[in-house]
Coordinates of all heavy atoms in Angstrom, one line a residue:
T559 N -93.1 79.2 -65.6 CA -92.7 78.6 -66.9 C -93.4 77.3 -66.9 O -94.1 76.9 -66.0 CB -91.2 78.4 -66.9 OG1 -90.8 77.4 -66.0 CG2 -90.5 79.7 -66.5
P560 N -93.3 76.5 -68.0 CA -93.9 75.2 -68.1 C -93.4 74.2 -67.0 O -94.2 73.3 -66.6 CB -93.5 74.6 -69.4 CG -93.3 75.9 -70.3 CD -92.7 76.9 -69.3
T561 N -92.3 74.4 -66.3 CA -91.8 73.5 -65.3 C -91.6 74.1 -64.0 O -91.2 73.4 -63.0 CB -90.5 72.8 -65.8 OG1 -89.5 73.9 -66.0 CG2 -90.7 72.0 -67.0
A562 N -91.7 75.4 -63.8 CA -91.4 76.1 -62.5 C -92.3 77.3 -62.2 O -92.8 77.9 -63.2 CB -90.0 76.5 -62.4
K563 N -92.5 77.6 -61.0 CA -93.2 78.8 -60.6 C -92.7 79.4 -59.3 O -92.4 78.7 -58.4 CB -94.7 78.4 -60.3 CG -95.6 79.6 -59.9 CD -97.1 79.4 -60.1 CE -97.7 78.3 -59.3 NZ -99.2 78.3 -59.3
L564 N -92.5 80.7 -59.4 CA -91.9 81.4 -58.2 C -93.1 82.4 -57.8 O -93.5 83.2 -58.6 CB -90.7 82.2 -58.6 CG -90.1 83.1 -57.5 CD1 -89.6 82.2 -56.3 CD2 -88.9 84.0 -58.0
E565 N -93.5 82.3 -56.5 CA -94.6 83.1 -56.0 C -94.3 83.9 -54.8 O -93.4 83.5 -53.9 CB -95.7 82.1 -55.6 CG -96.2 81.1 -56.6 CD -97.1 80.1 -56.1 OE1 -98.3 80.3 -56.0 OE2 -96.6 79.0 -55.7
L566 N -94.9 85.0 -54.7 CA -94.8 85.9 -53.5 C -96.2 86.3 -53.0 O -97.0 86.7 -53.9 CB -94.0 87.2 -53.9 CG -93.9 88.2 -52.7 CD1 -93.1 87.6 -51.6 CD2 -93.3 89.5 -53.3
S567 N -96.5 86.0 -51.7 CA -97.8 86.3 -51.2 C -97.7 87.4 -50.1 O -96.7 87.4 -49.3 CB -98.4 85.1 -50.6 OG -98.8 84.2 -51.6
W568 N -98.7 88.2 -50.0 CA -99.0 89.2 -48.9 C -100.3 88.7 -48.4 O -101.3 88.8 -49.1 CB -99.0 90.6 -49.4 CG -99.2 91.6 -48.4 CD1 -98.6 91.7 -47.1 CD2 -100.0 92.8 -48.5 NE1 -99.0 92.9 -46.5 CE2 -99.9 93.6 -47.3 CE3 -100.8 93.3 -49.5 CZ2 -100.6 94.7 -47.1 CZ3 -101.5 94.5 -49.3 CH2 -101.4 95.2 -48.1
F569 N -100.4 88.4 -47.1 CA -101.6 87.8 -46.6 C -101.9 88.1 -45.1 O -100.9 88.5 -44.4 CB -101.7 86.3 -46.8 CG -100.6 85.5 -46.1 CD1 -101.0 84.8 -45.0 CD2 -99.3 85.5 -46.5 CE1 -100.1 84.0 -44.2 CE2 -98.4 84.7 -45.8 CZ -98.7 84.0 -44.7
N570 N -103.1 87.9 -44.6 CA -103.4 88.0 -43.2 C -103.0 86.6 -42.6 O -103.6 85.6 -42.8 CB -104.9 88.2 -43.1 CG -105.4 88.0 -41.7 OD1 -104.7 88.0 -40.7 ND2 -106.8 87.9 -41.6
G571 N -102.0 86.7 -41.7 CA -101.5 85.5 -41.1 C -102.2 85.1 -39.8 O -101.8 84.0 -39.2
R572 N -103.2 85.8 -39.4 CA -103.8 85.5 -38.1 C -104.7 84.2 -38.3 O -105.5 84.1 -39.3 CB -104.7 86.6 -37.7 CG -105.5 86.4 -36.3 CD -104.6 86.4 -35.2 NE -103.9 87.6 -34.9 CZ -104.3 88.6 -34.3 NH1 -105.6 88.7 -33.8 NH2 -103.5 89.7 -34.1
E573 N -104.6 83.3 -37.4 CA -105.5 82.1 -37.4 C -107.0 82.5 -37.4 O -107.3 83.5 -36.7 CB -105.2 81.1 -36.3 CG -103.7 80.6 -36.4 CD -103.4 79.7 -35.2 OE1 -104.2 79.8 -34.2 OE2 -102.4 79.0 -35.2
P574 N -107.8 81.7 -38.0 CA -109.3 82.0 -37.9 C -109.8 82.0 -36.5 O -109.2 81.3 -35.7 CB -109.9 80.9 -38.8 CG -108.8 80.4 -39.7 CD -107.5 80.6 -39.0
D575 N -110.8 82.8 -36.2 CA -111.3 82.8 -34.9 C -112.4 81.7 -34.7 O -112.5 80.9 -35.5 CB -111.9 84.2 -34.5 CG -113.1 84.6 -35.4 OD1 -113.8 83.7 -36.0 OD2 -113.5 85.8 -35.5
E576 N -113.0 81.7 -33.5 CA -113.9 80.6 -33.2 C -115.3 80.7 -33.9 O -116.0 79.7 -33.9 CB -114.1 80.6 -31.7 CG -112.8 80.3 -30.9 CD -113.0 80.3 -29.4 OE1 -114.1 80.2 -29.0 OE2 -112.0 80.5 -28.7
N577 N -115.6 81.8 -34.4 CA -116.8 81.9 -35.3 C -116.5 81.4 -36.6 O -115.9 82.1 -37.5 CB -117.3 83.3 -35.3 CG -118.6 83.4 -36.1 OD1 -119.1 82.5 -36.7 ND2 -119.2 84.7 -36.1
R578 N -116.9 80.2 -37.0 CA -116.5 79.5 -38.2 C -117.4 79.9 -39.4 O -117.3 79.3 -40.5 CB -116.5 78.0 -38.0 CG -115.6 77.6 -36.8 CD -114.1 77.7 -37.1 NE -113.3 77.4 -36.0 CZ -112.0 77.3 -36.1 NH1 -111.4 77.7 -37.2 NH2 -111.2 77.0 -35.1
W579 N -118.3 80.8 -39.2 CA -119.3 81.1 -40.2 C -119.1 82.4 -40.9 O -119.8 82.7 -41.9 CB -120.7 81.1 -39.6 CG -121.1 79.8 -38.9 CD1 -120.9 79.6 -37.5 CD2 -121.8 78.7 -39.4 NE1 -121.4 78.3 -37.2 CE2 -121.9 77.7 -38.4 CE3 -122.3 78.4 -40.7 CZ2 -122.5 76.5 -38.6 CZ3 -122.9 77.2 -40.9 CH2 -123.0 76.2 -39.9
D580 N -118.1 83.2 -40.5 CA -117.9 84.5 -41.1 C -116.6 84.7 -41.7 O -115.8 83.8 -41.8 CB -118.2 85.6 -40.0 CG -117.2 85.5 -38.9 OD1 -116.3 84.5 -38.8 OD2 -117.1 86.4 -38.0
F581 N -116.3 85.9 -42.2 CA -115.0 86.3 -42.7 C -114.2 87.0 -41.6 O -114.7 88.0 -41.1 CB -115.1 87.2 -43.9 CG -115.5 86.4 -45.2 CD1 -116.8 86.0 -45.3 CD2 -114.6 86.3 -46.2 CE1 -117.2 85.3 -46.5 CE2 -115.0 85.6 -47.4 CZ -116.3 85.1 -47.5
D582 N -113.0 86.6 -41.3 CA -112.1 87.2 -40.3 C -111.2 88.1 -40.9 O -109.9 88.0 -40.8 CB -111.4 86.1 -39.5 CG -112.4 85.1 -38.9 OD1 -113.5 85.5 -38.5 OD2 -112.0 83.9 -38.8
L583 N -111.6 89.2 -41.6 CA -110.7 90.0 -42.4 C -109.9 90.9 -41.5 O -110.4 91.5 -40.5 CB -111.6 90.9 -43.4 CG -112.3 90.1 -44.5 CD1 -113.2 91.0 -45.3 CD2 -111.3 89.4 -45.4
R584 N -108.6 91.0 -41.8 CA -107.7 92.0 -41.2 C -106.8 92.5 -42.3 O -106.6 91.9 -43.4 CB -106.8 91.3 -40.2 CG -107.6 90.8 -38.9 CD -106.7 90.0 -38.0 NE -105.6 90.8 -37.4 CZ -104.3 90.6 -37.8 NH1 -103.9 89.7 -38.6 NH2 -103.4 91.3 -37.2
V585 N -106.1 93.6 -42.0 CA -105.1 94.1 -43.0 C -104.0 93.1 -43.1 O -103.5 92.6 -42.1 CB -104.5 95.5 -42.5 CG1 -103.4 95.9 -43.5 CG2 -105.6 96.5 -42.5
P586 N -103.6 92.7 -44.3 CA -102.5 91.7 -44.4 C -101.2 92.1 -43.7 O -100.9 93.4 -43.8 CB -102.3 91.6 -45.9 CG -103.7 91.9 -46.5 CD -104.2 93.0 -45.6
D587 N -100.6 91.2 -43.1 CA -99.4 91.6 -42.3 C -98.3 90.6 -42.5 O -97.2 90.7 -41.9 CB -99.7 91.7 -40.8 CG -100.2 90.4 -40.2 OD1 -100.5 89.4 -41.0 OD2 -100.4 90.3 -39.0
S588 N -98.5 89.5 -43.3 CA -97.6 88.4 -43.4 C -97.1 88.2 -44.9 O -97.8 88.7 -45.8 CB -98.2 87.1 -43.0 OG -98.7 87.2 -41.6
Y589 N -96.0 87.6 -45.0 CA -95.4 87.4 -46.3 C -95.0 85.9 -46.5 O -94.6 85.3 -45.5 CB -94.1 88.3 -46.5 CG -94.4 89.7 -46.3 CD1 -94.4 90.3 -45.1 CD2 -94.8 90.5 -47.4 CE1 -94.7 91.7 -44.9 CE2 -95.1 91.9 -47.2 CZ -95.0 92.4 -45.9 OH -95.4 93.7 -45.8
A590 N -95.0 85.5 -47.8 CA -94.6 84.1 -48.1 C -93.9 84.1 -49.4 O -94.3 84.8 -50.3 CB -95.7 83.1 -48.0
L591 N -93.0 83.2 -49.6 CA -92.2 83.1 -50.8 C -92.2 81.5 -51.1 O -91.8 80.7 -50.2 CB -90.9 83.6 -50.8 CG -90.0 83.5 -52.0 CD1 -90.5 84.4 -53.2 CD2 -88.5 83.9 -51.7
R592 N -92.5 81.1 -52.3 CA -92.5 79.7 -52.6 C -92.0 79.5 -54.0 O -92.3 80.2 -55.0 CB -93.9 79.1 -52.6 CG -94.0 77.6 -52.9 CD -95.3 77.0 -52.5 NE -96.5 77.5 -53.2 CZ -97.7 77.4 -52.8 NH1 -98.0 76.6 -51.8 NH2 -98.7 78.0 -53.5
L593 N -91.1 78.4 -54.2 CA -90.6 78.0 -55.5 C -91.1 76.5 -55.7 O -90.8 75.7 -54.8 CB -89.1 78.0 -55.5 CG -88.5 77.5 -56.8 CD1 -88.9 78.3 -58.0 CD2 -86.9 77.5 -56.6
T594 N -91.8 76.3 -56.8 CA -92.3 75.0 -57.1 C -91.7 74.5 -58.4 O -91.6 75.4 -59.4 CB -93.9 75.0 -57.2 OG1 -94.4 75.5 -56.0 CG2 -94.4 73.6 -57.4
T595 N -91.5 73.3 -58.6 CA -91.0 72.7 -59.9 C -91.8 71.4 -60.2 O -92.0 70.6 -59.2 CB -89.5 72.5 -59.9 OG1 -89.2 72.0 -61.2 CG2 -89.1 71.6 -58.8
N596 N -92.1 71.2 -61.4 CA -92.7 70.0 -61.9 C -91.8 69.5 -63.0 O -92.0 69.7 -64.2 CB -94.1 70.2 -62.5 CG -95.2 70.3 -61.4 OD1 -94.9 70.8 -60.3 ND2 -96.4 69.8 -61.7
P597 N -90.7 68.8 -62.6 CA -89.7 68.4 -63.6 C -90.2 67.3 -64.5 O -89.7 67.2 -65.7 CB -88.6 67.9 -62.8 CG -89.2 67.4 -61.5 CD -90.3 68.4 -61.2
T598 N -91.1 66.4 -64.0 CA -91.7 65.4 -64.9 C -93.2 65.4 -64.6 O -93.7 66.0 -63.7 CB -91.1 64.0 -64.5 OG1 -91.7 63.6 -63.3 CG2 -89.6 64.0 -64.5
R599 N -93.9 64.6 -65.4 CA -95.4 64.5 -65.3 C -95.7 63.9 -63.9 O -96.9 64.1 -63.4 CB -95.9 63.6 -66.4 CG -97.3 63.2 -66.3 CD -97.7 62.3 -67.5 NE -99.1 61.8 -67.4 CZ -100.2 62.5 -67.5 NH1 -100.2 63.8 -67.8 NH2 -101.4 61.9 -67.3
N600 N -94.8 63.1 -63.3 CA -95.1 62.4 -62.1 C -94.7 63.1 -60.8 O -95.1 62.6 -59.7 CB -94.5 61.0 -62.1 CG -95.0 60.1 -63.3 OD1 -94.3 60.1 -64.3 ND2 -96.2 59.6 -63.3
V601 N -94.0 64.1 -60.9 CA -93.3 64.7 -59.7 C -93.6 66.2 -59.6 O -93.7 66.9 -60.6 CB -91.8 64.5 -59.8 CG1 -91.1 65.2 -58.6 CG2 -91.5 63.0 -59.7
S602 N -93.9 66.7 -58.4 CA -94.0 68.1 -58.1 C -93.3 68.3 -56.7 O -93.5 67.6 -55.8 CB -95.4 68.6 -58.0 OG -95.5 69.9 -57.7
A603 N -92.4 69.3 -56.7 CA -91.7 69.6 -55.4 C -91.7 71.1 -55.2 O -91.8 71.9 -56.1 CB -90.2 69.1 -55.6
Q604 N -91.7 71.5 -53.9 CA -91.8 72.9 -53.5 C -90.9 73.1 -52.2 O -90.8 72.3 -51.4 CB -93.2 73.4 -53.3 CG -93.9 72.8 -52.1 CD -93.6 73.5 -50.7 OE1 -93.4 74.7 -50.7 NE2 -93.6 72.7 -49.6
V605 N -90.4 74.4 -52.2 CA -89.8 74.9 -50.9 C -90.5 76.2 -50.7 O -90.8 77.0 -51.6 CB -88.3 75.0 -50.9 CG1 -87.7 73.6 -51.0 CG2 -87.9 75.9 -52.1
S606 N -90.8 76.6 -49.4 CA -91.4 77.9 -49.1 C -91.0 78.4 -47.8 O -90.6 77.6 -46.9 CB -92.9 77.7 -49.2 OG -93.4 76.7 -48.4

Side-chain angles (χ1 to χ4, degrees):
T559 74
T561 59
K563 177 159 66 168
L564 180 63
E565 304 170 86
L566 177 64
S567 290
W568 181 45
F569 66 102
N570 168 17
R572 179 70 60 84
E573 293 176 347
D575 63 21
E576 296 177 18
N577 182 354
R578 303 291 178 175
W579 302 90
D580 64 353
F581 282 74
D582 305 328
L583 296 172
R584 293 172 64 248
V585 175
D587 60 355
S588 302
Y589 302 89
L591 180 69
R592 180 167 63 195
L593 176 63
T594 307
T595 179
N596 281 35
T598 73
R599 173 176 171 77
N600 302 102
V601 175
S602 182
Q604 67 85 31
V605 292
S606 57

